[in-house]
Amino acid sequence: MGWLVLLGTAMAVVGIGLLGYCIYSAFSIKKTGLEDAEMRQQLQKIVAINMGALLLSVLGLMCVVLGVFLG
């Protein structure tokens, strides 16, 4: 079950990378000083990416745990 651990690790790393991207994007959008409605619209897109990144990280960690238990 080593392949499951490696797959889970890769998924978790990609998810954490996407979380870092979301943080960077949110700070850069706040620095631009856009109007409130425009800023909300752009931040809502980042929230969707953020939720997907969290899901990917959780699924990756679940794969790692499952691979360790089965292996």
Side-chain angles (χ1 to χ4, degrees), residues 7 14 17-18 27 29 34 41-42 46 63 65-66 68-69 71:
L7 177 68
V14 169
L18 284 172
F27 278 131
I29 288 172
L34 296 172
Q41 182 182 13
Q42 288 188 2
I46 293 176
C63 286
V65 170
L66 186 63
V68 168
F69 280 140

Side-chain angles (χ1 to χ4, degrees), residues 3-60:
W3 61 271
L4 191 59
V5 174
L6 291 176
L7 177 68
T9 304
M11 288 171 60
V13 167
V14 169
I16 292 172
L18 284 172
L19 287 172
Y21 167 76
C22 290
I23 292 169
Y24 175 76
S25 296
F27 278 131
S28 65
I29 288 172
K30 288 220 176 226
K31 284 183 184 177
T32 59
L34 296 172
E35 294 291 322
D36 190 41
E38 180 70 26
M39 186 182 303
R40 283 181 187 265
Q41 182 182 13
Q42 288 188 2
L43 287 175
Q44 283 178 350
K45 293 177 187 176
I46 293 176
V47 168
I49 296 171
N50 190 17
M51 292 302 219
L54 285 173
L55 177 66
L56 188 63
S57 294
V58 167
L59 290 176

